[in-house]
Amino acid sequence: MTSDQILMATETAHPTLRAAVSGLPSYVPGRRSAGADIAALASNESHYEPLPAAAAAVAEAAGRMNRYPDMAAVELRERIAGHLAVTAGEIAVGPGSVGVLQQIITGLCDAGDEVIFAWRSFEAYPILVELAGARPVRVPLDDAEGHDLDAMAAAVTERTKVILLCTPNNPTGVPISHDRIAAFLRSVRSDILVVIDEAYVEYAEAGSGPDSLTLYREYPNVCILRTFSKAYGLAGLRVGYAVATPDIAEGLRRTAIPFAVTALAQKAAVASLDATGEMQARVAVVQKERSRLAARLEAQGWTLQPSQGNFLWIRADDDLTARLVAAFDQADILVRAYQGDGIRITVAEPASNDRVLHVMEAVLAAHAA
Ligand SMILES: *Cc1c(COP(=O)(O)O)cnc(C)c1O
């Protein structure tokens, strides 16, 4: 090459993203929910402010932001362990349970390994799997919007490393029963990590989903994923955790970004655990509203599956989804739309829920007309 050609090549060459990254969808910022009249029902956050003890713990810890947090999160891990009657060695924390899930997938999967999950389920699943260079294997939900565990077991290959079970499932709200997961665990290889994502477990009625800790004690290839983001109301602080055998939990701690869980988040999570009773009282209100909303929607003529999360799922084709999105937009209500599949609406305080009922009734009336 002449020096001119070298110069040209140098000028036109540019850094490129890995294919796994350039293939990912861009993040589309949601409409700002700052307006007084906008009902933010798109992200399954708690509409309650943080528990008073958590807010106080954050205020108290804020004066020490010049210091790094405890990287091993010892106090928080011990408190979670005490809460669940396991040992701190079986707990790994991360920046939200999505952060912990990323540690799980990067910790267990080599390029080309397979991760099986239901679809539709949590949108973060395929993204984290592809980022790790692993292969997402989506198994369609059954007709009742729940996990098709037989089909998931049939999807296992020698490359399967991880299976994700989301109960209650986001976005459909349908739980997986204890007996069905137990039968599934008997049928899959014990070298596959079966992650039970229980982000909404606090909202589920007792007995509707699995007793995951009992399953974990019986099947060491079970990993439980929980978060402080939803019922505990700490979505903005980023803290979640996994329960797993000590060797897996230790591996997850090693793959963590150093200091990813801030001292504020650690303190708030500890304070929140101490206020579990207050959290449960709030959950009871949301459960009551969930029942009311579902019953009213059914009375209007909508069909929906009973939800065990703090949200409701309306299955809808492209056309209906578009009309629902437009109607909610018009009413300043943010909901989560999945084009071609339906919409998910977070259950919040009665006034917002009433606005939802109003929109849904109007959409149905317009449809009938
Ligand atoms: C919200 C959610 C999470 C938790 O996310 P964080 O990272 O803890 O905020 C995990 N799994 C599912 C299915 C969720 O819907």
Side-chain angles (χ1 to χ4, degrees), residues 11 52 81 83 87 98 108-109 120 126 134 155 160 163 179 203 210 246 254 270 290 293 327 351 359 367:
E11 277 173 350
H83 203 69
T87 63
V98 170
L108 277 91
C109 294
R120 190 171 273 284
T160 307
I163 299 174
D179 292 347
Y203 291 108
R254 265 186 260 148
V270 168
R290 177 177 70 197
L293 204 47
V359 170
H367 188 49

Side-chain angles (χ1 to χ4, degrees), residues 42-367:
S43 302
N44 293 346
E45 297 149 331
S46 173
H47 66 277
Y48 289 105
E49 288 176 359
L51 294 161
V58 167
E60 206 271 326
R64 290 187 301 281
M65 278 193 289
N66 52 315
R67 302 291 178 191
Y68 283 115
D70 171 11
M71 186 153 105
V74 173
E75 185 192 11
L76 175 57
R77 284 174 41 231
E78 279 174 354
R79 296 301 286 280
I80 293 168
H83 203 69
L84 305 178
V86 298
T87 63
E90 295 165 276
I91 305 293
V93 300
S97 57
V98 170
V100 185
L101 184 57
Q102 181 161 38
Q103 293 163 219
I104 292 171
I105 292 169
T106 51
L108 277 91
C109 294
D110 282 313
D113 283 341
E114 292 170 359
V115 179
I116 298 173
F117 48 86
W119 201 250
R120 190 171 273 284
S121 190
F122 190 31
E123 298 150 284
Y125 295 162
I127 294 172
L128 296 179
V129 172
E130 278 174 19
L131 260 181
R135 223 168 64 74
V137 178
R138 296 171 175 83
V139 176
L141 294 170
D142 64 22
D143 290 341
E145 307 279 12
H147 284 53
D148 184 344
L149 293 182
D150 292 337
M152 292 181 81
V156 169
T157 72
E158 70 269 19
R159 294 303 304 263
T160 307
K161 283 284 168 64
V162 177
I163 299 174
L164 307 174
L165 303 178
C166 186
T167 176
N169 186 47
N170 174 8
T172 62
V174 175
I176 316 173
S177 76
H178 183 87
D179 292 347
R180 285 178 60 224
I181 299 190
F184 180 74
L185 288 166
R186 281 193 292 277
S187 77
V188 299
R189 289 199 323 267
S190 59
D191 65 316
I192 297 172
L193 189 74
V194 177
V195 177
I196 305 179
D197 182 345
E198 295 192 310
Y200 302 98
V201 66
E202 294 87 356
Y203 291 108
E205 283 159 37
S208 62
D211 174 353
S212 55
L213 283 152
T214 296
L215 293 172
Y216 162 69
R217 288 191 185 93
E218 197 173 341
Y219 298 92
N221 60 320
V222 165
C223 169
I224 302 166
L225 211 50
R226 293 197 181 164
T227 181
F228 288 94
S229 293
K230 303 287 159 60
Y232 280 105
L234 297 181
L237 269 183
R238 315 306 304 131
V239 53
Y241 61 92
V243 185
T245 51
D247 55 327
I248 296 287
E250 165 58 25
L252 301 185
R253 293 197 292 274
R254 265 186 260 148
T255 61
I257 291 172
F259 309 113
V261 183
T262 66
L264 275 59
Q266 292 182 33
K267 294 285 184 201
V270 168
S272 296
L273 281 176
D274 286 342
T276 292
E278 278 173 73
M279 177 277 288
Q280 285 166 337
R282 293 173 167 194
V283 161
V285 175
V286 173
Q287 287 173 327
K288 232 177 112 199
E289 276 297 290
R290 177 177 70 197
S291 302
R292 181 180 76 92
L293 204 47
R296 292 277 303 276
L297 288 172
E298 275 169 352
Q300 288 177 4
W302 295 96
T303 310
L304 55 175
Q305 296 293 333
S307 169
Q308 295 294 337
N310 64 332
F311 52 88
L312 295 177
W313 170 245
I314 309 289
R315 181 150 298 267
D317 61 16
D318 268 345
D319 172 57
L320 181 54
T321 303
R323 282 188 292 116
L324 285 165
V325 167
F328 277 112
D329 207 51
Q330 193 72 49
D332 282 338
I333 300 172
L334 308 179
V335 300
R336 189 70 182 79
Y338 303 89
Q339 203 55 45
D341 278 338
I343 63 161
R344 189 195 68 200
I345 309 165
T346 305
V347 177
E349 75 285 356
S352 293
N353 300 336
D354 285 340
R355 284 169 67 185
V356 167
L357 287 170
H358 192 76
V359 170
M360 294 294 282
E361 189 164 38
V363 169
L364 210 57
H367 188 49

